[in-house]
Every structure is written in C-alpha cells, then in structure tokens.
Amino acid sequence: MTDNDVPGGHSATVGLPGRERRSDGAARAVPRHVACVMDGNGRWAQRRSLPRTAGHRAAEATVIDIIEAARSAGVEWLSLYAFSTENWNRPGAEVDYLMRLVRRVVRKHAPLLLARGIRCRFTGAADPRIPHGLARDFDDLTMLTGDNRGMTLTVAFDHGGRRDIVEAARALILSGTPADEVNERLFAEYLPFPDTPDVDLVIRTSGEQRISNFMLWKVAYSEWVFPEVLWPDFRAADFLACLHTYQRRARRFGGLPSQTNGDSR
Ligand code: IPE
Ligand code: IPE
Ligand code: MG
C-alpha cells in the first residue's frame, strides 16, 4: 500500500491517538484544519442512470455525516468546497438546482449545527447570480451560530482561490501599504477569514487529483489524500481512514523529520 492509499477496512470506532509525535517523525495528531473537495456527485448519479442532480441530493447525507465525524474526532476547523467560481460554467439547470439544494440544506440543518456548537461561515458568495434568499440564509446561519465555540465549519461557496488572492492584493494596494512592508504575514491578513489556520489535510474524493482553485494560499503545505470513493458514498469510516493516513505522514515543511533535528549528517 502506498502512502496515498486510504485503507478501506478501518473501523470508525478506532480511537484517534492524541497529539503526541511519533518516533519516526510523523505528526501523530488529529489534523487541526481539514478541508474536503466534495467531488463525484455527478458520476455517482450517472452510474445509477440517474440525473446528475440526484448525486447532489445524495451528497447531503455525506455532508452531515462528515461534519459529525470531524467534530467528534476533535477537528477544530472543517472547510467544505461546495461550489467553485468555475462551477458557474455548468448548465443553468444544474446551477439552479444546486442553489435551491444548498438553501434547503442550510435551513434544514441550522438547528442541528447550533445544538452541536458548530460555528458556521461562508467564504466566496460574491457573485450577483447567487439568489438573495440564499445569501440571506448564509448570513442568518452565520449569525445564529456566531457565538458557538465548537468546531468552525467554513463552506466555500462561489469560492475561487485565485480570486481571493487577487482581491487581497487589491485591498492591500488600496490600503496604501508601502511595498517594502508587504510580507507573507501581512498579505494573509487581507485574505478572507485571516483567523483560519492553514489547512493540514485536504481530502478530495472520487479519485481526481487536482486542486481546482481551492484555498490556494492556505493549502501551500497541506497533506493531500485522494480516496477513490465518490462523495455521496463517503462516510465517517472513510473520513477516519483519511485521518489515519495523515497521521502516518511525516510533515517536513522543507526541513527534516524531527528525529534528525540536530543530526543532519
Ligand atoms: C461535486 O461533484 C459537486 C460540485 C462540483 C458542485 P461533481 O458534480 O463535480 O461530480 P462529478 O465530478 O461530475 O462526478
Ligand atoms: C471542484 O470540483 C469544486 C467542488 C467540489 C465544489 P469540480 O468537479 O468542479 O472540479 P473539476 O472541474 O473536476 O476540476
Ligand atoms: Mg467534479
């Protein structure tokens, strides 16, 4: 099995080790920030000779399952990629369906998210084509859960990593900051939700292995896993298997594994 493989047979009940570091340098910790590229809804439906929209509808159960799995595993930040700036290129009927579906999901699950202590927020959502009612529901859920102190759930909707970077650059220029004062730390403050830590682990379902313009700045040093399972079939056990895969990785950030610190012969 390669490091990229996500084992299938993991039990969802296997407890995750705490935040200690292993002797081989692997960061044996629950990733603090996990982000999911929720991919494969269309193929899930096509394999069942159903319209693509049926795959989007089936994705709802996975979303709820994964939010709960992440929360109970001790993940502090969960980001879900729900709609990209490029997804506007899809047929109008599919886009309309997604807008209606997301609205229904947000309204339906608001009480559960509140009760679980999850703080919800949305990144993106800038395009005037987003229905007013949906934008209002995003604001309402953000307000409703704003005082929660459990996991922070960020839904990337109408999100584009490049757009975020361009808008940060524009805001920085408009602020009049002298060029020689611009550094990575300052630049990051102009990105949406600067309190959000870098992503530790990205899970992209359906076997596709690309970034697709997702949180470009914050995934600079993320670990990635690419389970073959399609998003509507992805469940808590699969999510925990991804966390275990992450725990076997040695994160180096350009340095050396921790056990060789001070001994770089
Ligand atoms: C992901 O599933 C959902 C969105 C992008 C909104 P897809 O709709 O991309 O499913 P595939 O990749 O066509 O199977
Ligand atoms: C990325 O998936 C966006 C979301 C999951 C919301 P896509 O299915 O749109 O990405 P590409 O087109 O395959 O790169
Ligand atoms: Mg896709």
Side-chain angles (χ1 to χ4, degrees):
M1 188 163 64
T2 70
D3 196 33
N4 246 352
D5 289 336
V6 177
H10 264 297
S11 161
T13 58
V14 169
L16 286 163
R19 296 191 177 277
E20 77 273 23
R21 184 164 279 276
R22 288 194 331 197
S23 59
D24 62 1
R28 195 170 185 171
V30 175
R32 193 169 172 223
H33 184 178
V34 179
C36 298
V37 180
M38 309 188 287
D39 202 10
N41 300 351
R43 277 162 284 167
W44 184 93
Q46 279 158 357
R47 284 178 197 174
R48 289 162 176 74
S49 304
L50 296 168
R52 292 177 53 82
T53 49
H56 297 314
R57 192 169 61 237
E60 174 183 352
T62 305
V63 168
I64 300 306
D65 221 39
I66 297 316
I67 291 172
E68 184 54 28
R71 194 191 65 85
S72 32
V75 171
E76 293 172 40
W77 304 77
L78 176 69
S79 297
L80 299 178
Y81 199 8
F83 192 88
S84 73
T85 46
E86 290 71 33
N87 286 148
W88 292 109
N89 296 327
R90 296 197 177 189
E94 182 171 342
V95 170
D96 287 348
Y97 183 88
L98 283 166
M99 298 292 150
R100 286 199 305 276
L101 176 73
V102 171
R103 184 155 196 218
R104 193 173 60 72
V105 169
V106 164
R107 295 171 79 96
K108 178 174 160 192
H109 297 289
L112 175 83
L113 294 163
L114 180 65
R116 290 281 191 271
I118 295 168
R119 178 170 64 145
C120 302
R121 53 198 198 181
F122 297 84
T123 185
D127 195 289
R129 286 171 288 185
I130 293 174
H132 288 307
L134 179 57
R136 204 171 48 238
D137 289 339
F138 286 167
D139 289 344
D140 287 350
L141 185 59
T142 303
M143 284 278 288
L144 179 74
T145 62
D147 291 333
N148 280 349
R149 288 292 168 262
M151 185 177 77
T152 298
L153 169 67
T154 305
V155 179
F157 190 89
D158 181 31
H159 162 81
R162 283 187 172 177
R163 181 174 67 188
D164 282 355
I165 290 171
V166 168
E167 288 188 358
R170 186 182 296 131
L172 195 50
I173 292 165
L174 287 172
S175 76
T177 305
D180 60 3
E181 287 179 20
V182 177
N183 55 32
E184 289 183 15
R185 189 197 49 73
L186 180 70
F187 189 89
E189 283 174 20
Y190 285 82
L191 290 163
F193 298 129
D195 60 333
T196 309
D198 283 350
V199 179
D200 295 303
L201 170 67
V202 186
I203 301 168
R204 181 166 187 156
T205 55
S206 86
E208 303 290 357
Q209 301 192 4
R210 53 179 170 267
I211 299 179
S212 300
N213 202 13
F214 185 44
M215 298 180 88
L216 295 180
W217 184 275
K218 289 196 193 301
V219 301
Y221 255 106
S222 304
E223 298 296 323
W224 288 72
V225 295
F226 301 102
E228 292 289 329
V229 58
L230 304 173
W231 180 258
D233 289 330
F234 191 67
R235 283 292 172 270
D238 304 298
F239 182 81
L240 289 183
C242 293
L243 299 195
H244 283 288
T245 298
Y246 170 85
Q247 290 172 328
R248 291 195 301 274
R249 300 275 178 89
R251 302 189 73 188
R252 296 183 187 169
F253 301 99
L256 294 172
S258 60
Q259 83 273 21
T260 61
N261 280 351
D263 180 12
S264 53
R265 288 168 292 173

